Amino acid sequence: MSDPVKREAAQGFGHSRDNQVPEKYNEVDVYETSADDTKYGTTQRGLKSRHIQLIALGGCIGTAGIIGGSSYTGKPVELLTPHGGMLTQCCYWPNGVPVAVWLTIVLATIIMLNIFVVSWYGESEFWFASIKIIGIVGLIILGIVLFFGGGPNQDRLGFRYWQKPGAVIPFAAPGSTGKFLAFWTALVKSGFAFILSPELIVLAAGETEAPRRNIPKAASRFVYRLMFFYILGTLVISVIVASDDELLLQGVESGKTNAGASPFVIGIKRAGIRTLDHIINAGEQSTSPSLPNKSIRNGIIVILTSAWSAGNSFLFAGSRSLYSLALTGQAPKIFRTCNKYGVPYYCVAVTSLMACLVYLSVSSGSATVFQWFVNLTTISGYIAWIILLITYLRFRRALEFNGLLEQRPYKAWGQPYVTYIALSLLILLTLTNGFQVFFPGKFTVSSFLAAYITLPIVIVLYLGHKIWFRTPLFLRVQKIDVDSGKEEADALEEMDVPPVAKNMLQKIWFWIA
């Protein structure tokens, strides 16, 4: 086995060749050789601890509550649900420039960041996410100030809007039933943020320095940081803007994305704060008779970095997922090819082609197209995590069978019980994610397909693969390989020397990143 392969296998994570199933366990002939590694190249470990700390967090904090909010029905509770990615961003640029131009600029930039050294991607995501986090922290502080009446108009908001019009507005049914359905709709849609980001940590593990030290650190802190930003962000939005605000509802009523879609901007304008809305939002004019009719100029600092960061992260995730499939023989070998910088550039190219679907937003029905994307990606994320959780339970049983359960380098809290709870919830969310289409007068073919088309596709692909390769539905526990690469991983972990802080500032920095 070649040295690069040994180095990857020794880490015990990610794209390790030695972590593949040995030949006696293979469903298909995918056993890698050192000759293949020389021919195709390998990925390189260029992501540092600070990169990993912010990659997943930055990927899940998209344009979220900063922009979105007007297109959902549960009102303040619904604002947990984020908008993210290039499609939303480019609807906020000045009307004088075609949307397709901005889409091209954003897409070209993230392709450039992903096609060269992986550290470029890590560094860009670190700064993108940092700006985004600073912006959200600032908005949370602003919300606290407005809560106590510290705005220019001296209006103490408190929880006024929780009383009238209310924190939860009934959806699809009157009374308590409608409020529950509003909550459930918010819960389903919030998966667009929470379900499609934790895997970024794992996908980056194969190109991370000292993953046995850095990955557990990032994974354990991700949940708490995410809860902090989303729960406090949602609370602030519910305080500074009413759920029936005319601008907030404007996006739903007109089917367009404009200033009315940004609850933070609306709250800032209602509080009489000037200039700040220019920084937060971008590219539309207010049409409300009760607000000044002035342009909200290119506020690229927060929105641009939010959307760019989300697109940047998921282009990386998509390309590395395809690369992993190629390593295990489930995608053509050409996708294993890496350039001299360790980047699987064919994977990046194919994933980038899929990203061209964002040009659908050029049409007049861009809001509808975006909603399709939200539905499709959310349900796909739910299904992916159902599969991942089942895989984890099988892996855990294999560890128990081989007496290795207590030798895990990272032990999550509450397992396996938390996994069973999460699995049950995800299955329920998957089956009910499109419940609205079954209400009288609400059924449309496009909405039904967007909500449920992924389910039969996954089933057909899984069963088709099993039939084509004539393999069992599941490997027996005794045939699941949990040993390959373990000795090398243990040895490299012993050689890893964690950085030692020399002063208090370094201690604080090492704790953060």
Side-chain angles (χ1 to χ4, degrees):
M1 184 169 57
S2 64
D3 288 340
V5 176
K6 282 185 177 180
R7 285 196 297 271
E8 285 211 33
Q11 297 290 344
F13 283 93
H15 307 137
S16 166
R17 273 48 168 192
D18 260 9
N19 278 347
Q20 295 181 58
V21 181
E23 189 172 6
K24 63 179 179 178
Y25 300 129
N26 271 356
E27 296 186 8
V28 293
D29 185 13
V30 297
Y31 194 79
E32 310 295 340
T33 65
S34 58
D36 283 340
D37 296 328
T38 302
K39 176 180 178 181
Y40 293 107
T42 61
T43 55
Q44 299 175 8
R45 297 191 179 276
L47 297 176
K48 303 180 184 298
S49 175
R50 62 186 177 89
H51 297 152
I52 296 300
Q53 292 292 323
L54 291 184
I55 279 175
L57 193 60
C60 71
I61 303 177
T63 46
I66 299 174
I67 301 175
S70 67
S71 60
Y72 299 110
T73 55
K75 310 312 176 190
V77 172
E78 285 274 352
L79 296 175
L80 281 164
T81 311
H83 289 184
M86 293 179 292
L87 195 155
T88 306
Q89 162 60 33
C90 292
C91 294
Y92 282 78
W93 289 89
N95 291 331
V97 180
V99 172
V101 173
W102 298 116
L103 286 170
T104 303
I105 293 173
V106 174
L107 185 58
T109 302
I110 64 173
I111 291 173
M112 292 292 288
L113 291 172
N114 277 270
I115 204 67
F116 294 110
V117 188
V118 70
S119 60
W120 285 24
Y121 159 74
E123 199 66 33
S124 65
E125 192 57 27
F126 174 81
W127 290 108
F128 279 156
S130 297
I131 295 171
K132 191 186 311 183
I133 289 170
I134 291 170
I136 292 177
V137 169
L139 291 170
I140 291 172
I141 295 173
L142 173 66
I144 295 173
V145 172
L146 295 179
F147 179 92
F148 291 104
N153 58 13
Q154 303 295 308
D155 183 14
R156 183 170 181 171
L157 296 175
F159 289 104
R160 175 188 307 168
Y161 299 133
W162 285 51
Q163 302 300 321
K164 184 180 180 180
V168 181
I169 305 301
F171 170 67
S176 299
T177 301
K179 290 183 177 181
F180 173 77
L181 293 178
F183 162 77
W184 194 256
T185 302
L187 184 62
V188 170
K189 292 182 180 295
S190 67
F192 187 63
F194 302 112
I195 210 71
L196 293 173
S197 296
E199 73 274 15
L200 291 172
I201 299 174
V202 180
L203 286 168
E207 297 170 70
T208 302
E209 297 177 354
R212 277 199 171 181
R213 170 164 49 87
N214 292 325
I215 298 301
K217 180 180 177 182
S220 60
R221 296 179 181 179
F222 169 79
V223 176
Y224 305 109
R225 291 174 176 178
L226 190 66
M227 289 174 62
F228 172 83
F229 288 116
Y230 270 108
I231 292 177
L232 287 185
T234 302
L235 181 62
V236 166
I237 290 173
S238 70
V239 166
I240 66 175
V241 63
S243 63
D244 60 353
D245 189 286
E246 59 183 301
L247 284 181
L248 189 65
L249 299 176
Q250 188 175 0
V252 175
E253 294 169 355
S254 64
K256 298 177 181 179
T257 50
N258 50 33
S262 178
F264 279 116
V265 170
I266 296 169
I268 290 168
K269 293 174 75 69
R270 297 295 189 193
I273 302 174
R274 299 187 178 187
T275 305
L276 185 57
D277 56 352
H278 297 232
I279 298 174
I280 302 302
N281 211 344
E284 286 288 347
Q285 290 187 338
S286 169
T287 57
S288 169
S290 61
L291 293 176
N293 186 20
K294 64 179 182 179
S295 175
I296 303 174
R297 305 289 293 179
N298 313 341
I300 64 173
I301 296 177
V302 178
I303 289 180
L304 179 59
T305 53
S306 295
W308 239 318
S309 173
N312 194 33
S313 292
F314 287 106
L315 179 58
F316 175 86
S319 62
R320 294 327 189 259
S321 297
L322 181 56
Y323 178 66
S324 295
L325 289 173
L327 288 180
T328 55
Q330 299 179 69
K333 280 190 173 184
I334 190 173
F335 292 118
R336 290 178 49 193
T337 307
C338 297
N339 60 22
K340 63 180 180 180
Y341 304 115
V343 176
Y345 54 94
Y346 285 124
C347 296
V348 174
V350 170
T351 308
S352 300
L353 290 176
M354 297 300 296
C356 291
L357 289 171
V358 297
Y359 286 103
L360 290 172
S361 66
V362 175
S363 69
S364 58
S366 60
T368 302
V369 172
F370 178 76
Q371 198 59 50
W372 290 346
F373 278 130
V374 169
N375 291 341
L376 288 171
T377 53
T378 300
I379 187 64
S380 298
Y382 285 149
I383 294 172
W385 274 97
I386 288 172
I387 295 171
L388 285 171
L389 293 178
I390 293 173
T391 302
Y392 168 75
L393 293 173
R394 297 277 296 164
F395 174 69
R396 186 183 176 91
R397 287 192 61 189
L399 289 178
E400 291 176 341
F401 179 83
N402 289 277
L404 298 174
L405 187 61
E406 296 305 317
Q407 297 184 33
R408 292 167 293 163
Y410 174 64
K411 299 176 182 178
W413 175 85
Q415 296 297 346
Y417 309 107
V418 173
T419 296
Y420 284 116
I421 294 172
L423 181 60
S424 301
L425 179 60
L426 286 171
I427 292 174
L428 184 59
L429 289 171
T430 300
L431 295 177
T432 62
N433 85 95
F435 74 89
Q436 302 95 328
V437 303
F438 299 108
F439 278 76
K442 298 292 184 180
F443 183 86
T444 63
V445 174
S446 60
S447 297
F448 177 81
L449 291 178
Y452 293 108
I453 189 62
T454 312
L455 283 170
I457 290 176
V458 169
I459 294 173
V460 169
L461 289 175
Y462 182 76
L463 295 179
H465 177 273
K466 295 300 180 181
I467 294 172
W468 180 266
F469 290 103
R470 299 180 181 178
T471 57
L473 291 177
F474 296 97
L475 281 176
R476 288 181 292 177
V477 172
Q478 57 267 35
K479 286 190 174 183
I480 298 176
D481 176 42
V482 294
D483 295 314
S484 295
K486 184 179 181 302
E487 291 184 5
E488 293 94 337
D490 293 340
L492 191 58
E493 183 182 18
E494 291 178 2
M495 292 186 291
D496 177 38
V497 180
V500 179
K502 298 179 181 179
N503 52 55
M504 183 57 66
L505 288 178
Q506 284 191 348
K507 286 182 179 180
I508 296 173
W509 175 247
F510 288 162
W511 183 85
I512 294 174

